[in-house]
Amino acid sequence: MGPPAPPYSRVCQVGDPVLRRAARPVEPCGLGGRELRALVRALVRVMRREGCVGLSAPQLGVPLQVFVAELPERLWRETAPGVREARQMAAFPLRVFVNPAMRVLDSRLLSFPEGCSSVSGFAACVPRFQAVHVAGLNEAGEPTAWQASGWAARIVQHEMDHLQGVLYLDKMESRTFVNLRWAELSE
């Protein structure tokens, strides 16, 4: 028995070559199919288990243009009200995008701390556009679109970067890069 095949039940970490390659579009024959639906289920399962708000197919070892995003009410409530307001956070339901395209609606750049399940244990401030429009297909192959602003726009841009082989490390303000456990590790 060999190693497991993608989609993995764990998130690939920085260094895995799949994270640095541009993902391929899902072929028309795969839209709405069993394999795509299984991939989306795996993405949602791992995203929710890890407590993150977005996950792309490359992060589970699958080099396809698919991502999911969700900011559940519970995670939103766990964030301090002042932070929610400053970051323009609002809860939103599960969104699935296959073969997405994004355009900028508001080019003002906002810089806030950002993490990534593929760069586990670290964060940095990353400038992102205030508002974007993303359009693509859902897991059934039906058209879907979203005008996202604030924190939701940040999530969309982060996941779209993954589909191009780009990590937040490539866009971060390098002097803000931190190990989230630095105090604990320094004891």
Side-chain angles (χ1 to χ4, degrees):
M1 188 162 135
Y8 302 125
S9 59
R10 54 147 179 88
V11 177
C12 295
Q13 293 300 300
V14 64
D16 190 318
V18 72
L19 295 173
R20 290 309 199 159
R21 289 194 289 258
R24 298 184 317 273
V26 174
E27 296 294 330
C29 62
L31 295 171
R34 195 173 73 241
E35 286 182 19
L36 178 59
R37 289 179 190 268
L39 171 60
V40 169
R41 280 194 307 274
L43 285 165
V44 172
R45 184 174 52 253
V46 173
M47 175 181 67
R48 289 176 175 166
R49 185 188 72 222
E50 296 292 319
C52 52
V53 293
L55 202 64
S56 68
Q59 290 179 277
L60 296 188
V62 179
L64 292 175
Q65 293 179 9
V66 180
F67 80 83
V68 298
E70 177 182 50
L71 181 51
E73 192 77 27
R74 177 188 57 78
L75 284 178
W76 179 82
R77 264 192 253 103
E78 290 173 1
T79 306
V83 172
R84 291 192 308 238
E85 184 178 340
R87 296 181 184 181
Q88 302 172 31
M89 295 174 87
F92 60 85
L94 178 66
R95 308 276 185 160
V96 176
F97 285 93
V98 177
N99 299 344
M102 184 189 80
R103 65 183 167 85
V104 176
L105 297 175
D106 185 335
S107 61
R108 287 180 292 164
L109 291 172
L110 301 175
S111 188
F112 285 106
E114 196 171 301
C116 179
S117 294
S118 290
V119 188
S120 186
F122 295 88
C125 288
V126 181
R128 299 280 187 188
F129 296 116
Q130 166 65 26
V132 297
H133 178 268
V134 61
L137 304 169
N138 65 17
E139 67 272 29
E142 303 161 338
T144 187
W146 185 23
Q147 286 192 24
S149 63
W151 200 253
R154 174 172 298 277
I155 295 165
V156 169
Q157 292 167 78
H158 181 108
E159 299 310 326
M160 290 295 292
D161 281 350
H162 274 300
L163 302 184
Q164 298 305 314
V166 174
L167 298 173
Y168 83 85
L169 302 171
D170 303 319
K171 296 184 172 188
M172 71 181 181
E173 296 168 353
S174 62
R175 294 188 57 79
T176 68
F177 185 64
V178 295
N179 181 318
L180 298 172
R181 296 178 46 225
W182 71 267
E184 169 189 334
L185 295 170
S186 297
E187 292 176 353

